[in-house]
Amino acid sequence: MAKKMILVDGSKCTGCKACSAACKEWNDLPTEKTSLVKSYQSMAGFTPNTYTYVTFEEKYENNNMHWLMRKAQCFHCEDPSCLKACSSSAISKTDSGFVVIDQDKCIGCGYCAQYCPFHVPKVDESTKKANKCTGCVARVENNLSPSCVAICQPGALSYGDYDAMMATAQARLAEVKKKFPNANLYGQNGQAGTTYRYILLDAPAAYGLPENPSTDLSLYLWKDIIRPIGKIVMGGAAAAVVAGVVINAVKGNYQKEPFEDHHQMKKEEKM
Amino acid sequence: MAVQKPNSPRVPGKILRFTKGERLSHWVHVVSFFVLLLTGWGILSEFFRPTLMIFGGVDVSRILHRVFAVIFVVVIVAMFFVKDPKYHWEWLRSAFRFTKADIQHIMAFPKEFFGGHANYPAQGKFSGGEKINSLITILGSAFIILSGFIMWFPQVFPDQLVRIAYPVHDLAMFMMVTALMGHLYLALLHPVSRVALEGMVKGYVPEKFAQAHHAAWYEEVKEQEK
């Protein structure tokens, strides 16, 4: 399947949260008690049962307030940190660009959650499984759009082939910039690009997003340097032991009285 | 330097090498280390995932890893204060103090490791090689305990610190396992040094062995006995 893209157009979002409800519906997720965290934002963050929610930032300019609203979910990175961090090969990427967690393989170690630059995956402490937006791959693989996209009434979410969507995004960005000069297309930089891309009305920092999301250096240090070198050193030690046993056996050292060997240097040899 | 405990019974032809407290520390360390290693490896690497079945699966292993981590830390730290603390402190101090004789032992050691006959000056209670093993154990334990503690409570530490703790935990494991392999070989399979195992099991080693491998220490003990 060709690479897909979902455009989240912040200029069209009305903050209705239907995407969040549709996600619960399609993924069979239980509802959770919500509260007004700030403004009209009803979830403080992701939970094992909430894969998507809308963030609200109130921005005041010239005695006018407008909202910076963002539908938050897994970005589905081209080069996902979670995939590299996973201890169980439970995380994989589909050809269409979605990052999925195999719940049968997941053991809930939480390394994915720790390394995600967007803090998306959440480990369910009771089931010991990591959960996050699935990209509705079951729908996508059957030529349907993800359920959040399907329900979006103001047309803030659109889905399609990557190239076509990029053209739409660029055209839309040019349009939006007229009204919001700081508008930008987010998801281009870092993680080799993301499947969910955003037209943000302001700088990423205004939305609490990292300017340049990246995989933490310690993950490379761990998986690409310490792990392979550690294995080589351990293998070397094992080989040395085997060599030691074999040489001693061949020399007949095992038959000798072990105390015959006096190790001390002669007095004059001593320094 | 460690000396013969005045009230320990004399055994003819043998010399007390490790007191009860020293032996207890060592064996608690051994048992907890193996449980930690096997339960940890299964989480960290899919290759060892089947190993977890010995302990009853991933979830039991997860708990065991934490239980034995606590034993690993608490019992051994306690030994520095409860049972023969003097000997523990002496071991700790000596591991960080390398003498010329220790260096010469280390230089000559590879030859002996591979079945040759090495010459080196008289060694103290812990030879240069043993000091290296001790150092790896001490530093490895310190790093693995600190990083493990951070990994256990990721929500209370900054993300960046938790992210660094993972590779540190792994690195300490590799260091300690590498040392362990050499240690097991010398203690169980090496024709000359495996006699030392007796000292860690029963406490006593043959005097001849002490003379051959730890002459400086042997002289000291004999001096004390007079």
Side-chain angles (χ1 to χ4, degrees):
Chain A
M1 196 180 219
K3 191 166 155 45
K4 300 292 181 186
M5 179 177 138
I6 294 148
L7 179 66
V8 188
D9 186 341
S11 70
K12 289 183 176 175
C13 180
T14 61
C16 72
K17 300 172 187 171
C19 49
S20 188
C23 175
K24 293 250 179 202
E25 177 73 37
W26 177 259
N27 291 295
D28 245 334
L29 298 168
T31 51
E32 287 171 293
K33 185 144 180 58
T34 56
S35 60
L36 288 180
V37 179
K38 60 177 176 184
S39 191
Y40 282 89
Q41 184 172 330
S42 55
M43 293 294 292
F46 299 103
T47 76
N49 291 316
T50 297
Y51 300 166
T52 185
Y53 64 101
V54 182
T55 66
F56 289 73
E57 302 288 341
E58 295 180 358
K59 201 182 174 195
Y60 296 86
E61 259 171 349
N62 308 324
N63 285 330
N64 273 321
M65 190 277 282
H66 70 258
W67 272 297
L68 296 176
M69 289 173 294
R70 184 177 80 88
K71 174 199 178 305
Q73 78 298 302
C74 171
F75 279 78
H76 295 279
C77 306
E78 182 63 33
D79 183 15
S81 306
C82 60
L83 190 155
K84 193 176 179 65
C86 181
S87 70
S88 309
S89 301
I91 301 182
S92 59
K93 220 180 70 196
T94 66
D95 292 337
S96 46
F98 291 96
V99 180
V100 290
I101 302 177
D102 182 338
Q103 295 287 311
D104 290 333
K105 286 185 180 173
C106 178
I107 59 165
C109 67
Y111 302 156
C112 58
Q114 202 60 45
Y115 276 108
C116 172
F118 307 106
H119 303 100
V120 174
K122 294 289 170 206
V123 177
D124 186 327
E125 286 305 325
S126 57
T127 59
K128 295 286 176 201
K129 303 281 176 193
N131 293 292
K132 67 166 194 69
C133 163
T134 61
C136 289
V137 275
R139 291 173 61 94
V140 167
E141 300 293 321
N142 286 290
N143 297 317
L144 292 168
S145 59
S147 74
C148 57
V149 177
I151 204 152
C152 185
Q153 291 305 307
L157 298 174
S158 45
Y159 162 84
D161 286 337
Y162 178 80
D163 295 332
M165 289 306 297
M166 272 307 280
T168 312
Q170 299 294 0
R172 196 52 212 155
L173 179 64
E175 194 66 29
V176 172
K177 269 196 178 241
K178 289 176 190 164
K179 203 175 165 196
F180 300 95
N182 289 337
N184 59 93
L185 189 56
Y186 188 76
Q188 308 285 94
N189 303 323
Q191 312 299 107
T194 57
T195 300
Y196 271 82
R197 295 204 186 178
Y198 289 79
I199 291 177
L200 300 180
L201 305 182
D202 208 335
Y207 288 84
L209 286 170
E211 203 81 37
N212 291 302
S214 64
T215 299
D216 197 75
L217 207 61
S218 64
L219 188 56
Y220 294 109
L221 183 72
W222 182 15
K223 300 277 171 144
D224 298 336
I225 297 172
I226 291 176
R227 188 60 69 81
I229 292 177
K231 281 181 186 167
I232 292 167
V233 171
M234 241 166 64
V241 167
V242 171
V245 172
V246 169
I247 294 168
N248 274 308
V250 168
K251 279 189 163 180
N253 286 348
Y254 284 102
Q255 278 87 47
K256 278 185 201 154
E257 161 68 41
F259 315 125
E260 278 170 4
D261 258 4
H262 266 255
H263 290 283
Q264 288 100 296
M265 288 176 173
K266 290 186 188 81
K267 282 274 184 273
E268 59 271 25
E269 273 182 81
K270 263 193 207 170
M271 310 199 168
Chain B
M1 261 291 146
V3 292
Q4 183 103 8
K5 236 182 157 185
N7 56 353
S8 55
R10 298 276 164 82
V11 179
K14 304 246 173 172
I15 178 167
L16 182 70
R17 178 133 174 87
F18 295 115
T19 66
K20 270 205 183 101
E22 284 176 291
R23 281 177 278 152
L24 187 65
S25 274
H26 180 264
W27 292 112
V28 169
H29 181 89
V30 171
V31 172
S32 50
F33 186 84
F34 273 107
V35 174
L36 285 163
L37 186 65
L38 295 175
T39 51
W41 261 355
I43 301 281
L44 219 51
S45 136
E46 286 164 86
F47 182 79
F48 290 102
R49 196 61 49 89
T51 315
L52 298 183
M53 292 306 142
I54 306 168
F55 300 96
V58 178
D59 290 318
V60 181
S61 302
R62 211 190 301 270
I63 296 162
L64 277 179
H65 196 76
R66 285 160 170 79
V67 168
F68 277 85
V70 172
I71 294 173
F72 184 83
V73 177
V74 171
V75 174
I76 287 151
V77 170
M79 285 302 153
F80 278 88
F81 300 96
V82 182
K83 195 99 174 87
D84 312 320
K86 196 179 111 194
Y87 295 87
H88 282 79
W89 290 109
E90 270 166 11
W91 164 69
L92 191 64
R93 234 175 281 133
S94 78
F96 287 92
R97 197 177 291 153
F98 280 79
T99 64
K100 202 170 226 174
D102 292 329
I103 307 293
Q104 283 172 315
H105 179 262
I106 293 159
M107 303 293 277
F109 182 71
K111 200 175 166 192
E112 188 164 324
F113 189 94
F114 292 111
H117 176 88
N119 279 315
Y120 42 77
Q123 298 291 300
K125 183 176 179 185
F126 299 104
S127 67
E130 285 169 333
K131 284 182 181 181
I132 288 193
N133 183 61
S134 298
L135 262 187
I136 295 176
T137 306
I138 294 160
L139 297 177
S141 296
F143 280 120
I144 216 158
I145 289 166
L146 275 174
S147 57
F149 186 74
I150 293 165
M151 288 161 72
W152 192 345
F153 304 102
Q155 62 281 3
V156 301
F157 293 102
D159 281 337
Q160 201 54 46
L161 193 63
V162 181
R163 287 171 178 175
I164 290 165
Y166 298 137
V168 168
H169 208 67
D170 228 11
L171 182 65
M173 181 275 290
F174 279 123
M175 271 171 59
M176 290 171 88
V177 171
T178 304
L180 173 70
M181 285 197 274
H183 189 69
L184 281 178
Y185 163 64
L186 292 166
L188 302 173
L189 296 171
H190 193 275
V192 177
S193 72
R194 63 180 169 165
V195 181
L197 183 65
E198 257 186 87
M200 207 35 105
V201 177
K202 296 175 189 153
Y204 290 85
V205 291
E207 288 200 355
K208 276 179 167 176
F209 170 81
Q211 270 175 306
H213 289 260
H214 303 276
W217 170 70
Y218 178 78
E219 294 303 325
E220 232 175 293
V221 174
K222 286 287 135 191
E223 200 61 35
Q224 293 276 332
E225 280 178 359
K226 275 176 195 165

